[in-house]
Amino acid sequence: MLVLGIESSCDETAASVVRDGVDVLSNVIASQHDLHAEYAGVVPEIASRAHVEKILPVIRDALRDAGVNLEQIDAISVGNRPGLIGALLVGVSAAKALAWSLAKPLVGVDHVVAHLYAPLLRRDTTQAAARDLYPALGLVVSGGHTAIYRCESATRIVRLGSTIDDAIGECYDKAATILGLGHPGGPKVDKLAQSGNERAFDFPISRLESGSLDFSFSGLKTAVLYAVRGVPQASPRRKPEESTKRAEPLDLAKPGVLPDVCASLQRAAVAAVVLKLERALEAWTGDPPRTLLVGGGVSANSRLRSELTALGQRRGLRIMLPAMEFCLDNAAMIAGLGYARLAGGEADDLHLAAAPSGSRGA
Ligand code: KG4
Ligand code: ZN
């Protein structure tokens, strides 16, 4: 079965053709990063307009790359929640128009849940298909979401905890802006961190109350801000080496300073994620999880990937990380999850609505 996936929830316009829910025949992504860079964040109106311009060329490219025509597509899947309402409407309208004109089934999927499907996708059909995955512990780490899930199947998912303030990717991006690295800064922080000293700054590892599976990243972002710009009300007489509470700004141009801040930030951010996963494993009831399914833009992070691999070895848990091309927002994961819904006998009709907030419980 060939499913055409369409994604337009934030600042990527994407389309993809996936066979039988796992074999990715094409994965086209038009990013709007350049359009939003000068604002250091996504501007909703600019995003919607860019989606309108890109949606048809991107769908056309996805069909061309897959070597198929519209008549060969069996169903249309679209990310219809959560996201920016104007941006979502573009993808949902295109998906409805295609489904109606081709008389093919239409299915809407939750973008965040689709990130948990990304590790199941493959480009290479000689690679074994992922089996025996559930029950699974799920982790989504992205620019808009940070959450832990209990997954009974690709479509039966319950959220166990999520961020109470900033998402982890948002923390990376805002820290990158404070450091003058541009937007989105996650990949830049990751790269610089590799040559830095992770103990140079003692940034806080957010724990919240004992047993909590929620996250908080705004404290870490503020700690980076104070480290870089100096702490308001700190004594200006105190020498920098005497305390981390300096009033003076850091000299980011000094060799090694930027990599040190990035490495220390990365250590604290990733440690907070691993801590919550450990807690989720401790609190797990019923059949133990067979895998950890990971998704979202920050799953491309080098340190997170290596720490999760180490967690898997410690806990005897199979760690399912997405291939790099499926970490960031993409439509292959939308097509894959759409296939899973259709295979379970679920579908939507032309009343499918775009919804800025996510599914209940997910
Ligand atoms: O999943 P995604 O494309 O969009 C959302 O659904 O939010 O994630 C984008 C986020 C951005 O915050 C970006 O800075 C972050 O993923 N990101 C990274 C890395 N690559 C992308 N963060 C840390 N390290 C990376 N290597
Ligand atoms: Zn996403």
Side-chain angles (χ1 to χ4, degrees):
M1 183 187 211
L2 290 181
V3 177
L4 171 67
I6 297 176
E7 155 62 33
S8 70
S9 64
C10 189
D11 58 346
E12 263 97 25
T13 319
S16 163
V17 178
V18 176
R19 179 182 289 132
D20 298 336
V22 288
D23 293 317
V24 181
L25 305 187
S26 64
N27 184 31
V28 177
I29 304 171
S31 167
Q32 307 173 2
H33 290 169
D34 293 350
L35 294 177
H36 302 285
E38 69 173 292
Y39 306 100
V42 177
V43 183
E45 285 309 318
I46 293 177
S48 314
R49 197 172 301 193
H51 285 305
V52 171
E53 286 168 8
K54 291 283 185 203
I55 193 91
L56 292 180
V58 162
I59 292 173
R60 227 174 266 136
D61 287 355
L63 293 167
R64 186 205 56 211
D65 289 0
V68 299
N69 57 42
L70 272 179
E71 286 68 38
Q72 291 170 279
I73 295 293
D74 297 300
I76 317 285
S77 176
V78 62
N80 73 316
R81 61 192 191 278
L84 302 169
I85 186 66
L88 287 166
L89 277 170
V90 178
V92 170
S93 307
K96 283 184 182 177
L98 282 172
W100 178 74
S101 58
L102 297 166
K104 299 283 162 79
L106 170 71
V107 61
V109 300
D110 185 298
H111 173 97
V112 186
V113 176
H115 272 303
L116 292 172
Y117 196 92
L120 281 64
L121 299 168
R122 61 178 186 182
R123 274 282 192 179
D124 177 2
T125 45
T126 60
Q127 199 185 314
R131 286 186 204 291
D132 303 327
L133 300 171
Y134 304 100
L137 179 61
L139 171 72
V140 174
V141 275
S142 76
H145 306 273
T146 308
I148 293 181
Y149 300 87
R150 182 185 181 108
C151 314
E152 301 296 346
S153 72
T155 55
R156 282 198 302 136
I157 285 172
V158 177
R159 192 174 65 205
L160 303 176
S162 66
T163 183
I164 58 169
D165 42 53
D166 293 355
I168 183 170
E170 189 180 353
C171 173
Y172 266 92
D173 292 341
K174 287 181 175 163
T177 302
I178 293 166
L179 295 168
L181 299 175
H183 184 88
K188 292 171 189 154
V189 171
D190 187 10
K191 193 149 182 259
L192 279 163
Q194 289 169 29
S195 57
N197 169 9
E198 63 179 46
R199 303 275 166 190
F201 296 84
D202 189 19
F203 291 142
I205 298 168
S206 153
R207 291 182 165 75
L208 300 178
E209 65 274 22
S210 81
S212 169
L213 300 181
D214 288 333
F215 295 92
S216 166
F217 288 100
S218 70
L220 178 54
K221 173 191 67 185
T222 309
V224 173
L225 179 75
Y226 285 176
V228 171
R229 302 219 178 132
V231 181
Q233 277 110 44
S235 163
R237 284 189 300 279
R238 192 169 267 165
K239 291 194 193 115
E241 56 277 18
E242 283 174 1
S243 163
T244 49
K245 289 193 172 44
R246 290 168 303 96
E248 309 78 18
L250 264 186
D251 180 3
L252 293 174
K254 216 165 128 195
V257 171
L258 210 43
D260 283 355
V261 177
C262 291
S264 305
L265 158 70
Q266 182 129 295
R267 183 184 74 89
V270 172
V273 173
V274 173
L275 180 103
K276 298 300 159 69
L277 290 172
E278 296 269 17
R279 278 186 188 170
L281 289 169
E282 291 300 326
W284 193 275
T285 52
D287 289 345
R290 293 176 158 181
T291 55
L292 170 66
L293 298 173
V294 187
V298 185
S299 58
N301 184 270
S302 59
R303 183 172 184 126
L304 183 69
R305 290 176 90 92
S306 62
E307 295 260 330
L308 292 182
T309 305
L311 172 78
Q313 281 159 359
R314 271 200 313 279
R315 293 279 188 166
L317 190 64
R318 233 163 94 211
I319 308 294
M320 302 285 296
L321 292 161
M324 282 299 185
E325 69 167 321
F326 306 129
C327 288
L328 290 168
D329 286 351
N330 66 84
M333 65 184 195
I334 302 289
L337 182 57
Y339 171 85
R341 280 199 66 203
L342 289 163
E346 296 174 30
D348 292 296
D349 59 24
L350 294 178
H351 291 99
L352 179 71
S357 49
S359 315
R360 280 175 123 212

